[in-house]
Amino acid sequence: MKNSKKGKNLISRRSSLKGVGAIGALAFLGSKTACGKEETFTGSDMTSDSSDTRKKIFKKVFQTPFIDTHEHLPDESERFGGSYYSYGGKSDDWTIIFGHYLCSDMRSAGMSEKNWKSFFSPKVDPLKKWSLLEPAWPYIKNTGYGQAVCIAIKELYGVEELSAKTVGKVQSSYEKVRQPGFYKRILCDLANIESCQVNSGDGFRETNMPTLLMQDIGIVGMLAGPNFELSKRPGIKVKSLADWHKVIDWWFDKYSKYAVAVKSKNAYDRNIDYEKVPAEKVEAIFNKKLDGQSLTNKEQKSLEDHLFWYAVDKATARHLPVKLHTGYYAIWGELKPRMPLSRLVQNPGAATALCRLSPETRFVFMHICYPYYEEMISIAKLYINAYIDMCWAWLINPIAAKDFLKKFLVTAPANKVLTFGGDYSPVEPVLGHATLARRGVTLALSELVEEGWLSLDEALELTDPIMNGNARNIFNLAEKTKALKNVKWG
Ligand SMILES: [Zn+2]
């Protein structure tokens, strides 16, 4: 199906207004937000001076491109004919944008397992899906997850309020927007994102859009030990720990030049308390695993600890920063959520040990370790090699994210923070997340000026570094872009 005339107009109108941040401008200075509430950013309770400050900061923040430091976007071509990240099969309808992350709030608000599965099922008529969502909708539309979806629905589909009346328009507009070129249109033209950094699972993905969807090397599978998926490409038959080291070497030799960082989400299964364990101490454990024998928890930890440092030392030698998941968990399709806070609370302490153990490694601690974010500011303040990435944070708790940024800028050096990563699989709600993040950055800077901690000029000067300059420096993006511009895979 071709873009309708109306769809094209929407895009071109937005594009032409990009200079002042069209999407945000409507939400921020206009009368309504995406979810239909009155805005108070420039409200009458403020003096005209503070209102003027907000307008100036707002304009600067919405004109400034983000470098998006964390996404899970598949290649655009993979989105046609259905999406692999929906539940119960390949769905290709408006509910895709709920599948990551609003699905989680739907469940915790009390939606039944049966309705939840039907909502994402390709076998259910898309127009009938509204009635499944309707009972939970009033309770979840105001969360960060909900607001990002509302903004996407409004800005991409021109629908103010999702309802029985509008679901048909949402579905037909979904199809009109999801056409070749929609990644660039949504990410660059509408969300004003310069480039993304994508985590595509283990190893490295040779994407069709190498300078827009830059890639991390995923290391979590490397830490687990022998894994056919990772040894298949190098064509190495793994019979010993030394062979497994060769598999890891292969990925780094082949892709370090093109990768922006390495990434591990191992914190979903354990604390990030990796000790330096020499190879000779884990050879027997590795062989046991190779034989298919089960390992004790202690053995598993030793093996992962050893392999973590093997991969991290490679990354450090190749000047690749190491991105580690910390804090809050996403549940994806898991119907029985798990998130042991007793373990998450130990992430900041373990992070300081990593910084001490490898001073040459640049560690990027992701997601502000929500809800333990105050600790992360102290880590960035003291450790030269610690950086904090706010990816996902505006979605989890937008107000906590704003407070984090505000406190960070008067506590730790401003070159140690990264302010945006959409952290999505579907591309559509990245637009909503970027808008929430810009709103939060504007508020954090405005409040710092209004409270007397920064001058207006100082706030404006910080905008470029925290929205894109820090990412450019930390991930050597000029060099990476040069390498990726002319890359021929295969
Ligand atoms: Zn992620």
Side-chain angles (χ1 to χ4, degrees):
M1 213 182 298
K2 281 194 173 166
N3 255 341
S4 72
K5 206 172 166 223
K6 201 169 174 195
K8 268 188 188 159
N9 285 345
L10 173 82
I11 301 293
S12 63
R13 181 166 58 88
R14 297 282 187 250
S15 303
S16 66
L17 285 170
K18 186 175 144 190
V20 290
I23 295 151
L26 297 174
F28 207 84
L29 298 172
S31 62
K32 301 255 182 179
T33 64
C35 287
K37 285 166 301 193
E38 292 291 318
E39 281 290 328
T40 53
F41 293 106
T42 56
S44 55
D45 54 323
M46 286 184 293
T47 64
S48 58
D49 271 4
S50 69
S51 173
D52 199 43
T53 295
R54 289 190 177 212
K55 279 181 184 157
K56 282 184 179 141
I57 293 173
F58 161 81
K59 192 173 172 211
K60 171 71 178 160
V61 169
F62 278 78
Q63 280 177 338
T64 302
F66 266 131
I67 287 176
D68 174 345
T69 51
H70 184 53
E71 293 291 356
H72 295 278
L73 302 168
D75 263 10
E76 183 183 276
S77 56
E78 291 174 57
R79 274 293 303 272
F80 304 116
S83 161
Y84 62 84
Y85 46 81
S86 52
Y87 307 97
K90 273 190 156 190
S91 270
D92 189 16
D93 63 46
W94 64 279
T95 63
I96 274 181
I97 67 172
F98 288 68
H100 196 199
Y101 295 90
L102 195 46
C103 58
S104 166
D105 289 346
M106 286 156 67
R107 276 291 285 157
S108 65
M111 192 170 181
S112 72
E113 187 176 329
K114 184 169 167 278
N115 285 353
W116 192 83
K117 283 183 169 167
S118 300
F119 183 77
F120 293 106
S121 169
K123 295 182 189 117
V124 177
D125 178 349
L127 303 190
K128 294 205 171 120
K129 291 183 174 185
W130 164 251
S131 63
L132 301 170
L133 177 67
E134 192 176 9
W137 185 238
Y139 309 119
I140 61 172
K141 67 176 185 173
N142 297 321
T143 68
Y145 295 170
Q147 292 205 26
V149 162
C150 286
I151 293 169
I153 288 175
K154 183 183 173 189
E155 298 300 335
L156 294 174
Y157 310 148
V159 171
E160 289 279 343
E161 285 268 6
L162 184 60
S163 69
K165 272 194 199 136
T166 59
V167 68
K169 187 176 176 199
V170 170
Q171 174 60 23
S172 61
S173 304
Y174 165 81
E175 290 168 19
K176 281 172 201 152
V177 168
R178 197 219 62 237
Q179 297 294 327
F182 78 121
Y183 266 41
K184 204 176 155 293
R185 219 151 51 228
I186 292 173
L187 294 171
C188 307
D189 301 344
L190 298 176
N192 195 9
I193 288 170
E194 191 177 303
S195 63
C196 303
Q197 300 180 7
V198 181
N199 175 221
S200 301
D202 285 329
F204 183 91
R205 175 189 292 249
E206 295 181 350
T207 163
N208 296 327
M209 299 172 155
T211 53
L212 178 60
L213 305 184
M214 294 181 170
Q215 303 283 317
D216 298 327
I217 294 177
I219 61 166
V220 73
M222 296 175 188
L223 314 188
N227 166 341
F228 180 66
E229 279 309 307
L230 280 169
S231 54
K232 189 170 60 180
R233 286 272 322 275
I236 296 169
K237 215 163 168 9
V238 178
K239 291 181 184 156
S240 65
L241 180 61
D243 291 338
W244 189 242
H245 286 163
K246 281 182 204 148
V247 171
I248 297 174
D249 294 349
W250 184 90
W251 286 97
F252 278 93
D253 289 345
K254 191 161 173 69
Y255 293 115
S256 288
K257 188 179 168 192
Y258 306 108
V260 282
V262 304
K263 152 95 204 282
S264 165
K265 62 173 175 69
N266 208 194
Y268 274 92
D269 297 310
R270 55 167 284 176
N271 190 14
I272 54 171
D273 55 342
Y274 302 98
E275 293 166 80
K276 295 219 170 187
V277 179
E280 51 280 16
K281 283 212 166 155
V282 295
E283 265 165 357
I285 298 171
F286 186 88
N287 291 337
K288 208 172 147 185
K289 185 148 189 179
L290 207 54
D291 277 353
Q293 297 177 49
S294 54
L295 303 184
T296 65
N297 289 345
K298 206 174 155 212
E299 287 171 331
Q300 183 66 34
K301 180 177 184 299
S302 295
L303 181 60
E304 285 173 6
D305 287 1
H306 165 75
L307 290 168
F308 173 83
W309 285 111
Y310 189 86
V312 167
D313 289 346
K314 291 269 153 205
T316 306
R318 306 298 179 100
H319 309 293
L320 293 173
V322 174
K323 296 174 171 176
L324 300 180
H325 178 102
T326 61
Y328 202 75
Y329 287 2
I331 66 160
W332 285 79
E334 292 164 54
L335 288 162
K336 291 196 180 83
R338 63 179 182 103
M339 182 179 63
L341 284 181
S342 56
R343 180 163 75 205
L344 273 59
V345 73
Q346 297 172 45
N347 286 172
T352 60
L354 297 180
C355 290
R356 270 202 322 276
L357 277 170
S358 187
E360 300 305 314
T361 306
R362 277 169 295 158
F363 287 103
V364 177
F365 299 109
M366 307 171 86
H367 320 308
I368 69 171
C369 198
Y370 184 83
Y372 308 108
Y373 54 91
E374 191 87 54
E375 289 86 334
M376 303 314 281
I377 301 175
S378 73
I379 295 174
K381 181 173 177 63
L382 192 77
Y383 289 95
I384 302 165
N385 56 339
Y387 301 85
I388 313 300
D389 193 331
M390 299 184 69
C391 55
W392 195 23
W394 304 102
L395 284 186
I396 300 171
N397 183 336
I399 295 175
K402 182 209 70 177
D403 287 346
F404 168 88
L405 181 59
K406 218 177 135 181
K407 288 180 178 183
F408 192 104
L409 292 174
V410 291
T411 306
N415 60 340
K416 310 290 289 295
V417 69
L418 298 158
T419 55
F420 181 65
D423 209 348
Y424 270 116
S425 287
V427 72
E428 292 90 338
V430 174
L431 175 60
H433 194 174
T435 305
L436 287 185
R438 282 200 171 84
R439 199 180 285 168
V441 171
T442 302
L443 280 172
L445 292 173
S446 298
E447 289 175 16
L448 287 170
V449 174
E450 287 158 11
E451 291 168 14
W453 303 109
L454 298 181
S455 71
L456 175 60
D457 284 346
E458 284 164 339
L460 294 172
E461 275 165 25
L462 281 169
T463 312
D464 279 297
I466 65 173
M467 292 179 70
N468 57 57
N470 292 349
R472 236 188 285 285
N473 294 336
I474 295 165
F475 300 106
N476 296 321
L477 292 186
E479 189 189 303
K480 298 295 170 183
T481 305
K482 218 166 130 195
L484 289 163
K485 251 183 186 154
N486 302 310
V487 71
K488 292 211 170 35
W489 303 121

